[in-house]
Amino acid sequence: MTKESLKIVFMGTPEFAVGTLERLVNDNFNVVAVVTQPDKPVGRHQDTLQPPAVKVFAQEHGIPVLQPIKMKDEQFVADLKSYEADIFVVVAFRMLPEVVWSMPRFGTFNVHAALLPQYRGAAPINWAIINGEKQTGVTTFFLDHDIDTGRIIMKKTFDIDDNFNVENVYDGLMALGADIAVETLEKVIATDGNIETIAQEETVSEEELANLKPAPKIFRETCEINWQQSCKSVYDFIRGLSPIPGAWTTLCQGNKQTVLKIYKASKTEKSSADHKPGDVVVENKQLLIATSDFFLSLDTLQLQGKKRAEVKDFLNGFRCTEDVCVK
């Protein structure tokens, strides 16, 4: 078997998935079709349809595109079968029903942006940073009936610098995800589909298995900052949600309350022992917020209805009185 004879259907939607699809095309793998989400209505009146990034790339390279609304739709399933794919490759896509993932003779593997079984779920990059991890990575595994639980094919690690935010890790894992997808396909070709796998629970210690960290979908309420935490925890929380969707808090100025998004902050060694968490202090051209142990210095922020600003510009129009705080 060769890469030219191995028929691949690629499934994915966002820019993260494009990195892997582009690599497969550039490396001359035989991608016979792409499956992605339907075009998304955008604009004030939702009257403009925006195609997924994967669709745009596929059309530019002459690859047929399927965009089912429902993955069990009979016509979609029939269309998918018509490509007679040997294997499906999934990157940043929706949950697949068994009628889909069991279709190809060599199965369906997923590229997950974490070191499984840690961080199963929809937002592994965000939660790894929020939890202050020093390392994450990518994993390829075969899909089964549950979410992110299938047998592992390969793992690759990625170090998380203390200054990295989601964008930094996203870019790093996008490139690493392309690497691991290619290497996994090369293993499939070399073994004629009889690739060795290992159960997820056998790849970690008993202690890790007993303390698995989930990666659930992130909602607006997830992004609210808890100032009762340590400075390090709040710092990690902010970078774990930056630049999208952005951590937020409520700025209170007397009777006025305004949502304040924080995109970048810096840890300090200035003790907040004499202040309540959430107290605001302006000092030496810094906007400082008290946490449970030290002050956090805000760097890039955005008041609701205003443009994103660096702290020096924000402070030009900000008056810090005794009753100013965040909560």
Side-chain angles (χ1 to χ4, degrees):
M1 184 188 300
T2 65
K3 63 171 66 174
E4 291 80 13
S5 65
L6 182 74
K7 293 182 180 179
I8 300 166
V9 167
F10 182 86
M11 301 185 181
T13 297
E15 194 67 36
F16 187 88
V18 174
T20 299
L21 178 58
E22 181 176 16
R23 178 72 180 278
L24 297 185
V25 170
N26 289 343
D27 283 12
N28 297 315
F29 282 93
N30 185 17
V31 181
V32 297
V34 159
V35 181
T36 190
Q37 296 276 39
D39 294 2
K40 183 179 179 181
V42 296
R44 178 178 294 181
H45 304 292
Q46 300 286 286
D47 54 359
T48 302
L49 291 178
Q50 182 178 67
V54 161
K55 177 183 179 180
V56 173
F57 180 89
Q59 289 182 328
E60 289 173 350
H61 291 79
I63 304 171
V65 177
L66 302 177
Q67 294 180 276
I69 296 175
K70 295 181 179 179
M71 298 299 292
K72 292 183 180 180
D73 178 81
E74 290 183 4
Q75 186 60 56
F76 163 68
V77 172
D79 291 342
L80 191 59
K81 282 182 178 178
S82 72
Y83 288 100
E84 299 181 340
D86 299 302
I87 195 164
F88 294 166
V89 178
V90 182
V91 183
F93 197 51
R94 60 212 276 189
M95 187 173 178
L96 303 180
E98 184 175 1
V99 68
V100 172
W101 59 255
S102 64
M103 189 182 298
R105 60 174 180 148
F106 294 150
T108 299
F109 77 81
N110 185 76
V111 178
H112 187 73
L115 298 174
L116 291 172
Q118 295 289 2
Y119 296 107
R120 293 167 174 160
I125 296 176
N126 301 90
W127 286 107
I129 301 171
I130 288 170
N131 290 333
E133 302 288 359
K134 300 295 186 185
Q135 190 177 74
T136 184
V138 288
T139 304
T140 51
F141 68 98
F142 282 112
L143 296 191
D144 62 13
H145 292 91
D146 298 312
I147 299 176
D148 300 336
T149 59
R151 292 181 66 84
I152 287 175
I153 306 166
M154 296 179 66
K155 292 185 186 183
K156 283 183 174 291
T157 60
F158 178 85
D159 292 335
I160 304 176
D161 188 274
D162 191 54
N163 294 317
F164 282 1
N165 64 8
V166 172
E167 188 171 35
N168 302 128
V169 179
Y170 182 101
D171 289 346
L173 294 188
M174 182 166 66
L176 201 61
D179 290 343
I180 200 172
V182 166
E183 290 182 32
T184 297
L185 287 169
E186 288 173 344
K187 280 192 172 188
V188 170
I189 293 168
T191 63
D192 197 29
N194 297 310
I195 192 168
E196 290 187 8
T197 61
I198 184 170
Q200 291 193 19
E201 58 269 20
E202 295 178 22
T203 67
V204 294
S205 67
E206 291 185 6
E207 182 180 355
E208 285 181 290
L209 196 59
N211 296 281
L212 294 182
K213 299 171 185 176
K217 187 175 180 179
I218 289 178
F219 299 95
R220 182 181 183 278
E221 56 269 25
T222 313
C223 303
E224 184 175 12
I225 299 169
N226 176 9
W227 296 102
Q228 304 290 331
Q229 299 180 98
S230 69
C231 181
K232 175 67 164 62
S233 294
V234 177
Y235 170 77
D236 290 337
F237 187 80
I238 291 169
R239 66 192 183 100
L241 295 167
S242 179
I244 296 174
W248 64 273
T249 189
T250 302
L251 178 65
C252 303
Q253 298 171 287
N255 295 324
K256 183 180 179 181
Q257 296 189 354
T258 313
V259 172
L260 177 69
K261 278 195 171 184
I262 304 172
Y263 295 97
K264 186 178 180 183
S266 301
K267 294 172 290 183
T268 78
E269 295 181 356
K270 180 179 173 62
S271 173
S272 59
D274 296 331
H275 290 78
K276 301 188 301 294
D279 280 355
V280 177
V281 174
V282 175
E283 183 178 282
N284 297 326
K285 297 183 179 181
Q286 288 182 303
L287 181 58
L288 304 171
I289 311 291
T291 67
S292 65
D293 50 8
F294 300 102
F295 277 96
L296 187 75
S297 178
L298 306 191
D299 299 327
T300 308
L301 57 166
Q302 182 178 17
L303 270 178
Q304 187 174 13
K306 304 290 184 180
K307 292 183 178 180
R308 190 181 303 192
E310 299 303 308
V311 69
K312 62 181 180 60
D313 299 317
F314 179 86
L315 289 176
N316 287 336
F318 180 72
R319 186 182 173 203
C320 186
T321 56
E322 291 185 1
D323 61 351
V324 174
C325 67
V326 295
K327 66 176 184 179

